Amino acid sequence: MNRPDLIALTPDDLAALANRGLVKRAQKECESGDLTAQWSESEDGTIEAKWSDGATCVLPGSKTLKEARCDCAALDMCRHLLRTVLAWQARQTVSEEKAPEVWNPGRITDALIESQTNKTTRDRAKLLWSQGVLAEVLCAVKPSARFHSPGHTVRFPVPDDLRYAQCSCSDPAPCAHAIMAVQAFRMLPADQNSGIVSEGPLDAPVEREPLDAAADCVSELLANGLATLSTAWRDRVRRIAAESLPWPAQILEELADDFDRYTARDAGFSPEDMLLRCGELLLRSDAILAGCAPVPQAFIRGLKADRDSELGSARFIGLGANVLEGRGSTSVNVFLQEIDSGHTVNVTREFKEPPEVVKKPFHQLAQSPSVKDASLAALAAGQLVTQGGKRTAAGRLVIGRARAVVNPQNFAWEQLKAPLLAEDFAEITARLRLLPPACFRPRRAGGDFHVCPLQAVEGARFDSSSNAIIARLIDSTGAACLLKHPWTQRGENGADSLLAALQSQARPLFIAGQVQSSGAAIVFKPTALVLAGEGTSRRVVLPWISPQTATLHHDAPSLVQTMPRAFAPASELLTQLLLQGAGRLSKRDWPDWSRTLQEVEATGHHRMAAMLQQIQTHSANALPALKWWRLGMEILADSSHTAAS
C-alpha cells in the first residue's frame, strides 16, 4: 500500500517532529551504507524494518509517524525511526515519485476531519470560529493559514492529512486551529491560490466621535503649525487615543511623542515621519467610516487582541539587524522570532547624533548593550531566553527587569515557523500579493520580513550605478530573486563582508530580511545571511553591523548621494505645512512652492505637479485644511507606488 504521508515528509518536516541533530545523524547513517535492513510491508500500509544494528522499527499504516514504534530505549522519536523513513523513501522507484503539487486544504472532507479528530477538538473549533476569524491563507506545496484572530499559524506538510498539521499553539495535533484552517481555505475563491478571509463578529462597533476628534487635532495642527501648538494639544491627542480603536490609537500616541520630541528640541524628531503618521491616520479614518474598503476592517482598525501583552518564559531566535538613519539619530533594529508562538518581534535602540557629534560606524553602535549585558550584535546573531517581559501591539519586545540571557545559536533555521519561514520565493511572492497597502495593514513589526532557504548565489557584485551590493539568489526550485544592500560609509565593514561571503565558495543556506515586490520579482533587503561552515557548523554574516573587514576587488563606492525618491518634493512641501501651518504660509506667498512645482513638472511627474498646484490654490481660498491634506496623502501614495514599480 502506498504511504503518501511518508513520501511527503522532508528532512525539515522530520526535524519539526524530532530535532535537527537526530535527523542529520539518521541521514548520515543512511548515506554511509554500513547498515542494512530487512523490510516487510503489509496491505494496510504497515512498514517494518529490522536493522542490522539490532533495532526494529514499525510504522503503522493507519497511524502517523508520531505513533510509530521502535524497540530501542528512547522515549520519544528516535533516530532509528527517522532512519527508517529516510531509507524507505530512498527505496521508492522513480516511477512512483511525483513532483510536489500546490494543493488547497479546503478539499479535506468533513468525514476525514471527523475520523482524525475528537469531538472536543471539533467543538472548540466551532466555538472559536463563532467568535470571529481573520486569516491569510496561502495554497502551496505546504499550504499555510496565518490567523490574525485567534492568533496562530497552521501549516500542512502532508497533503490531505490533518494529523500532520503543524500549529504554533501548544495543543497536540490535530488541534482546533487546524480544523479552522480547513474552513478558512474553503472560503477562498476557486480561481485563487491565496487571499485574506474573514467571518464573524470581528469588527468592533464604530464610534465616530474619537475619529472625528482625531481629525480635528490634525486639522488644528495643519492650520496653525506645530510651532504654535501648546501641551494642551498633546494632552487632547492622548485622551482621544485612550478611547480609539487599536491602530488609530497607536498612531495618536506616536503623534503625541513627536510633539514631545519637537518641544524638547530632540535630535530624533523627524517632521517627515510625523507627516506620514498624520496621513495614515486620516486614510485609516476615512476607510473605517466608509465601511466598504476591500481590505478587512479588522486590518484597518485593529483587533481587541492588538494590545500590549505580558510574556512568561519565552525563547527568541535572532534573525539579524538593520540600521535606519534619521534626522539627528540612528536606530539599530534587531529582528527575532518567538519559537513557541512564531511571532516576529524587534528590539530597537535609538542613538541621538547631533550635528556636532562624530558619527560612529554601524558595527560600533551594534556593540552597545541591548538586553542585560548582551550587545545588539550578540542578540542579532544569538538566541534570547527570558523569564518575562512585554510584547507591544506593534511587535516591539521590552524586557525591562525580567530575567534574561543571550546565548549563541546554531542557525538551525529550518525549525523557524511559517509564515516567517517560507519554502521558496514563490510563496513569498504570493504572500506579498495578499497584503494591502501599508497604511491599511496591521501595524506590526515584521509584516514584510521573511526567511528563505537558498540553493545558490550568482552574479554577486558592487553596482556603482545604485551604490549597492547586488546578487541573484536561487531557491530550492531554481527560481531567482534579487538581493540588494546599500553601501554606506558607516556600514562599510558589513557591506564588504556581505560581498565577500556572496563571492566565496561557501554554500548559502538561508537569507533573512525585509522583502518588497519589484514588478513580477521580489527584492531581499538582507539582515542576515547563513552559510555552511566547516563540517556541520554554520556561520552568519550581518550585512549592516558585521565588524569584519575584507579585501575586495571592486570599483570604489561612490559617496555621492543617490537620486531622491519621486515623492521627495511633495514630502518637503507638505512638511512646511506641518511645521508652519497653512495660515502663515499663505501670508508669506507660499515660498519655494512655485520653483518646486516647475522642477516637478520638468521631471515628468505631471500628476504630482497638478495636485500640488491644487493644494496651493485651494488653501489660498481657505479650503478646509483636511481636504487638501488628503490631496497631499494621495500624492504621496501615488508617487510612492510609481517609484516602487
Side-chain angles (χ1 to χ4, degrees):
M1 179 180 175
N2 191 20
R3 290 293 302 270
D5 59 329
L6 298 183
I7 294 175
L9 292 173
T10 65
D12 292 344
D13 298 328
L14 295 175
L17 294 172
N19 62 66
R20 176 58 51 181
L22 283 178
V23 173
K24 286 184 175 180
R25 188 173 177 185
Q27 286 177 309
K28 186 176 181 180
E29 290 178 349
C30 286
E31 294 168 356
S32 68
D34 296 336
L35 298 173
T36 59
Q38 296 179 359
W39 296 88
S40 62
E41 301 184 33
S42 61
E43 290 296 327
D44 67 351
T46 298
I47 300 169
E48 182 180 42
K50 295 182 178 180
W51 289 93
S52 57
D53 62 356
T56 299
C57 300
V58 179
L59 311 180
S62 59
K63 298 182 179 180
T64 66
L65 182 59
K66 286 185 177 180
E67 300 167 287
R69 304 188 303 273
C70 178
D71 60 1
C72 73
L75 299 178
D76 297 318
M77 184 74 64
C78 65
R79 78 176 193 280
H80 306 116
L81 290 173
L82 298 174
R83 183 175 70 197
T84 301
V85 173
L86 294 171
W88 182 85
Q89 290 175 343
R91 282 168 50 86
Q92 304 311 296
T93 62
V94 176
S95 61
E96 293 176 339
E97 294 180 359
K98 294 182 179 179
E101 297 179 352
V102 173
W103 67 286
N104 186 335
R107 73 191 190 192
I108 296 177
T109 64
D110 290 339
L112 185 60
I113 292 176
E114 289 186 8
S115 68
Q116 295 183 343
T117 60
N118 56 51
K119 187 176 184 302
T120 301
T121 301
R122 296 194 297 273
D123 289 344
R124 183 163 184 262
K126 290 180 182 179
L127 176 62
L128 291 174
W129 188 273
S130 67
Q131 295 172 356
V133 170
L134 174 63
E136 301 172 24
V137 293
L138 175 65
C139 298
V141 174
K142 299 183 187 299
S144 64
R146 178 187 184 186
F147 287 99
H148 292 266
S149 174
H152 290 286
T153 298
V154 179
R155 181 172 173 267
F156 296 88
V158 176
D160 304 311
D161 197 329
L162 202 65
R163 298 171 301 174
Y164 284 93
Q166 301 168 354
C167 183
S168 58
C169 73
S170 58
D171 297 337
C175 64
H177 305 109
I179 300 175
M180 295 171 63
V182 172
Q183 294 176 287
F185 273 102
R186 291 176 181 175
M187 298 176 64
L188 193 65
D191 59 342
Q192 295 182 14
N193 280 339
S194 60
I196 300 172
V197 298
S198 63
E199 185 172 296
L202 282 174
D203 300 334
V206 176
E207 296 184 6
R208 189 182 184 98
E209 290 77 9
L211 295 174
D212 288 340
D216 290 341
C217 289
V218 176
S219 180
E220 182 180 352
L221 169 65
L222 303 178
N224 300 320
L226 185 60
T228 65
L229 297 180
S230 67
T231 56
W233 179 88
R234 176 206 59 196
D235 295 339
R236 182 154 54 97
V237 167
R238 288 206 163 110
R239 285 196 302 271
I240 297 170
E243 303 171 355
S244 298
L245 297 165
W247 298 140
Q250 188 180 104
I251 301 173
L252 288 167
E253 289 287 355
E254 292 172 0
L255 289 175
D257 292 340
D258 287 332
F259 177 90
D260 288 338
R261 291 191 187 96
Y262 177 78
T263 55
R265 294 179 173 81
D266 191 324
F269 171 73
S270 170
E272 292 84 0
D273 289 345
M274 192 174 187
L275 164 79
L276 294 176
R277 290 188 183 102
C278 289
E280 182 184 348
L281 176 62
L282 295 178
L283 291 174
R284 285 185 187 264
S285 297
D286 287 349
I288 291 170
L289 294 176
C292 59
V295 179
Q297 283 285 314
F299 267 27
I300 306 171
R301 305 176 182 186
L303 297 163
K304 292 181 179 179
D306 293 323
R307 303 288 185 182
D308 296 357
S309 58
E310 298 296 326
L311 297 174
S313 298
R315 184 163 68 97
F316 299 85
I317 297 297
L319 304 170
N322 67 7
V323 178
L324 300 177
E325 290 189 274
R327 179 179 298 187
S329 68
T330 297
S331 297
V332 178
N333 305 302
V334 178
F335 293 87
L336 309 101
Q337 184 180 51
E338 186 178 358
I339 287 299
D340 292 333
S341 68
H343 289 137
T344 303
V345 299
N346 65 5
V347 173
T348 300
R349 179 162 179 184
E350 184 179 17
F351 299 89
K352 303 298 175 57
E353 297 175 328
E356 65 274 8
V357 175
V358 178
K359 297 182 179 181
K360 295 181 179 180
F362 295 153
H363 71 272
Q364 291 185 14
L365 294 180
Q367 295 305 312
S368 303
S370 58
V371 175
K372 306 306 178 182
D373 295 330
S375 67
L376 289 162
L379 182 64
Q383 60 177 324
L384 168 66
V385 180
T386 176
Q387 300 298 318
K390 180 175 70 174
R391 182 179 61 243
T392 69
R396 184 185 174 202
L397 179 63
V398 181
I399 299 300
R401 296 183 178 180
R403 295 180 59 185
V405 62
V406 176
N407 298 317
Q409 62 164 303
N410 58 6
F411 304 104
W413 285 3
E414 302 90 344
Q415 299 177 25
L416 296 175
K417 295 186 181 297
L420 173 81
L421 177 64
E423 290 286 326
D424 49 41
F425 298 148
E427 180 179 333
I428 297 177
T429 301
R431 191 167 295 282
L432 289 179
R433 289 173 180 168
L434 283 178
L435 298 177
C439 56
F440 295 133
R441 71 177 67 160
R443 304 183 88 243
R444 300 192 193 98
D448 58 353
F449 192 93
H450 285 282
V451 174
C452 189
L454 296 180
Q455 190 68 30
V457 174
E458 298 176 351
R461 62 186 177 87
F462 173 78
D463 180 48
S464 57
S465 63
S466 60
N467 214 52
I469 293 168
I470 61 174
R472 192 166 178 263
L473 305 177
I474 311 297
D475 68 9
S476 58
T477 68
C481 81
L482 180 68
L483 175 146
K484 188 172 184 179
H485 178 74
W487 190 97
T488 62
Q489 192 170 23
R490 299 175 68 190
E492 178 181 6
N493 285 9
D496 283 353
S497 295
L498 173 65
L499 184 56
L502 294 171
Q503 292 178 339
S504 70
Q505 299 300 315
R507 182 165 63 91
L509 299 177
F510 293 95
I511 184 72
Q514 292 173 295
V515 189
Q516 68 179 27
S517 296
S518 178
I522 59 174
V523 178
F524 253 99
K525 299 179 177 179
T527 59
L529 174 69
V530 175
L531 305 162
E534 297 181 1
T536 60
S537 66
R538 298 178 176 184
R539 64 185 181 93
V540 69
V541 175
L542 305 177
W544 284 100
I545 59 175
S546 176
Q548 293 98 355
T549 57
T551 303
L552 300 174
H553 301 286
H554 59 72
D555 296 335
S558 170
L559 297 181
V560 179
Q561 293 185 351
T562 57
M563 184 179 295
R565 297 172 297 177
F567 57 87
S571 178
E572 181 179 351
L573 296 181
L574 292 173
T575 297
Q576 292 184 27
L577 296 178
L578 175 76
L579 296 176
Q580 301 183 46
R584 294 171 65 187
L585 284 179
S586 297
K587 292 178 181 178
R588 296 171 56 192
D589 197 26
W590 298 83
D592 299 330
W593 276 64
S594 298
R595 175 181 55 79
T596 303
L597 285 172
Q598 293 176 359
E599 293 176 355
V600 171
E601 185 72 39
T603 60
H605 295 93
H606 307 298
R607 175 178 167 83
M608 181 193 296
M611 286 192 287
L612 286 171
Q613 184 65 56
Q614 288 184 57
I615 293 176
Q616 181 180 7
T617 302
H618 289 167
S619 186
N621 294 331
L623 195 72
L626 288 186
K627 186 170 183 178
W628 50 255
W629 184 261
R630 286 182 169 87
L631 265 176
M633 291 305 103
E634 185 181 353
I635 292 172
L636 296 184
D638 180 74
S639 302
S640 177
H641 174 76
T642 302
S645 59

